[in-house]
Amino acid sequence: MRSGKPLLVAAAACAVAHATGILVANPVWRYAEVLSLALLLAYAVVSGLPQPRWAVPAALTALLVDAVRTMPADPDTGPLAWQVLRPGPADVDTWAGFESGLTLCWASSVAAVVLLAAGRRAGWRRPVVAVAAVAATLVVGYAVVRVVDVHNAARAEQRPYAGGADVADTVTAVGLAVLPAVALGLTALALAVALAGQGRWLASAGAVLLAVVALPSLDASIGAVPLPLYAGEVRSAAFAWHAITPSLAMPQPVPALTAAVELTAYLLLVAGLTGARRSTDAAPAQPAGSRP
């Protein structure tokens, strides 16, 4: 089988270009993310697909579809136009954060579920399970802290804001917003445990990075909820990067780092699943009593 390392290096270079463009809100090349995932798919095919052979291509196809859907717009599409802003409804949009979370996390979640469902069953390593349980507690705990913090901020301010957004509606909207990111984090950690049980440590590290991506995605989902000012200004948001629009003069490292970590997770997953041959698969068992 021919070496696919040049494809992997090219995929990493495209990932760097994509993250750099996000850093300054000016794409280096708008097709960088799509090409990075396409090169990963080509690398997987060249290096040899694991069993079942459909799993890795199916996971990468979901990621490719999302990359094409979220591709940066062409900066030369035409002249600028006026945008008329109208006041929105006074009530909180309960499903806005949940829809935003699905938009951010659906492709990664589908890829993780596909790889987890298609993986071979192996014995669980207790130290790995213990570490994953602690990490899962941190993911869920961070989501709970964010929801509770918004709840406390909303209750502390009793004055009606912009027509009177109800505290229960605010908390419900935020609670729904965190669900897709929490599901991604827990699924990725389960995948990391399963891959570690198979001895695929490189791919397991990629799954752990995918779980890390769930944390900024959680904050981004909450940021999509049109919260009242008193409920939105909370101090527990560790990854809130929507407050300032990124530009060349004021770069935003958190979304760029998030994209870099996410694409690195995919690189490690694909390289760990397809790049190395297990000794049990590479060499046939020799008859008893025979000498090499």
Side-chain angles (χ1 to χ4, degrees):
M1 187 72 67
R2 294 178 297 174
S3 173
K5 289 184 178 179
L7 294 173
L8 196 62
V9 173
C14 290
V16 171
H18 177 65
T20 303
I22 293 178
L23 180 65
V24 295
N26 185 19
V28 175
W29 189 44
R30 60 191 297 254
Y31 303 101
E33 183 184 17
V34 175
L35 183 58
S36 178
L37 294 172
L39 289 170
L40 272 183
L41 180 57
Y43 169 80
V45 173
V46 169
S47 299
L49 296 171
Q51 295 294 336
R53 296 176 62 85
W54 56 266
V56 172
L60 289 174
T61 298
L63 298 175
L64 268 170
V65 169
D66 187 60
V68 171
R69 187 186 61 82
T70 59
M71 187 186 307
D74 189 350
D76 300 325
T77 52
L80 297 177
W82 288 99
Q83 182 180 10
V84 179
L85 300 179
R86 297 183 176 86
D91 295 335
V92 174
D93 187 351
T94 305
W95 294 97
F98 182 77
E99 293 171 358
S100 176
L102 285 181
T103 300
L104 289 172
C105 301
W106 77 267
S108 301
S109 298
V110 168
V113 168
V114 168
L115 295 177
L116 182 61
R120 292 176 296 179
R121 300 296 181 265
W124 287 13
R125 302 172 186 264
R126 290 185 178 180
V128 176
V129 174
V131 173
V134 172
T137 303
L138 293 177
V139 172
V140 176
Y142 181 65
V144 171
V145 167
R146 289 303 321 274
V147 174
V148 171
D149 201 4
V150 171
H151 173 267
N152 292 338
R155 288 196 61 184
E157 178 60 59
Q158 297 297 327
R159 294 176 302 167
Y161 178 83
D166 186 69
V167 174
D169 292 340
T170 300
V171 175
T172 300
V174 175
L176 290 173
V178 304
L179 292 181
V182 170
L184 170 61
L186 296 182
T187 304
L189 289 173
L191 177 62
V193 171
L195 292 173
Q198 300 171 17
R200 298 184 182 272
W201 294 102
L202 189 63
S204 180
V208 171
L209 289 182
L210 197 58
V212 173
V213 173
L215 297 177
S217 298
L218 188 151
D219 277 345
S221 301
I222 295 177
V225 179
L227 296 175
L229 183 61
Y230 59 79
E233 292 182 345
V234 292
R235 299 178 180 179
S236 61
F239 306 96
W241 45 268
H242 286 275
I244 303 175
T245 302
S247 65
L248 185 60
M250 187 176 292
Q252 289 288 287
V254 173
L257 184 60
T258 301
V261 171
E262 183 177 5
L263 289 175
T264 301
Y266 302 148
L267 286 167
L268 294 179
L269 277 168
V270 174
L273 287 172
T274 63
R277 300 295 185 188
R278 297 177 65 87
S279 58
T280 55
D281 298 335
Q286 296 187 5
S290 63
R291 302 180 61 183

